Amino acid sequence: MTPEQQSRNTRALCELAPVIPVLVVGDATRAEGLATALVAGGLPVLEVTLRTPAALDVIRAMAKVPGGHVGAGTVLTPDDAKRARDAGASFAVSPGLTERLARACEEIGLPLLPGAVTASEVMRAMELGYSMLKFFPAEAAGGAKSLKSLAGPLPQVSFCPTGGVTLQNAPDYLALPNVVCVGGSWIAPDADVAASDWAAIETRARDARTLC
């Protein structure tokens, strides 16, 4: 799967809803209930970060939930990408981009949403064939104003900003012509996941679904 094909795939996923929940889940027994609540709330694309020992088991469980599209976040190496794919991830998200990671995702057929912040990083991703990128860490890197500035010289690239994105500032990003969706962790806070409060999480998902 070429980088061009990968970007077409990840863009199609990003277009399914205005928000991709970014999930750090330490207990795989919570995975199915969490994914079910998010999908029921209208957010079918889920990013499970590889930041906990349970992450791959979480992906395996969430991948079985009807209507969901589960990806792996914090994919840093070719081995991360392979393990994520084998666990059932349908896409990968990385905070940056290396040629080794790009080649690995091409070889194993795993769509990659790579990160880029500066104009040079975006241009490098474009040289490799990517046109759908992650903008991370969004708020620390200048927020919506920085993304708006990139739209002028680099209009052919689209973004999913993550990192510091909230219910309050998400509309600022979503109003930009080069933003397809945003990624955020506010929809499934740790306390609600630990308490299995799926109703509260589904309500937040429904609220996020209405953002534009």
Side-chain angles (χ1 to χ4, degrees):
M1 179 180 287
T2 68
E4 291 85 358
Q5 293 170 326
Q6 292 175 45
S7 280
R8 285 195 293 271
N9 189 297
T10 56
R11 183 184 178 95
L13 290 172
C14 288
E15 289 174 341
L16 292 177
V19 181
I20 295 177
V22 179
L23 309 169
V24 183
V25 185
D27 183 354
T29 64
R30 302 284 197 272
E32 183 178 356
L34 175 57
T36 299
L38 292 167
V39 172
L43 302 183
V45 184
L46 315 175
E47 176 188 338
V48 177
T49 64
L50 299 183
R51 300 181 193 175
T52 72
L56 293 175
D57 288 333
V58 171
I59 290 172
R60 289 188 186 94
M62 288 189 171
K64 299 175 183 177
V65 173
H69 305 271
V70 184
T74 322
V75 173
L76 307 178
T77 67
D79 185 58
D80 287 342
K82 184 179 185 303
R83 290 186 299 124
R85 185 207 59 180
D86 291 347
S90 57
F91 65 98
V93 184
S94 178
L97 178 63
T98 67
E99 290 189 22
R100 288 182 66 240
L101 182 58
R103 284 198 303 271
C105 288
E106 185 168 359
E107 289 171 1
I108 66 175
L110 183 65
L112 175 66
L113 180 66
V117 172
T118 67
S120 293
E121 290 172 350
V122 174
M123 290 168 64
R124 178 58 179 152
M126 290 170 58
E127 284 185 353
L128 292 175
Y130 292 95
S131 60
M132 183 71 217
L133 305 176
K134 172 179 178 174
F135 184 76
F136 173 86
E139 282 292 287
K145 290 183 178 179
S146 290
L147 265 177
K148 183 178 181 180
S149 297
L150 289 174
L154 301 166
Q156 61 272 63
V157 180
S158 298
F159 294 91
C160 170
T162 70
V165 179
T166 66
L167 179 64
Q168 289 71 36
N169 64 24
D172 296 334
Y173 289 99
L174 293 169
L176 299 176
N178 57 343
V179 170
V180 179
C181 69
V182 301
S185 60
W186 82 86
I187 300 163
D190 292 342
D192 284 351
V193 175
S196 298
D197 192 347
W198 309 136
I201 290 172
E202 182 177 339
T203 296
R204 288 195 192 88
R206 292 187 185 282
D207 291 341
R209 177 74 192 188
T210 66
L211 292 172
C212 60

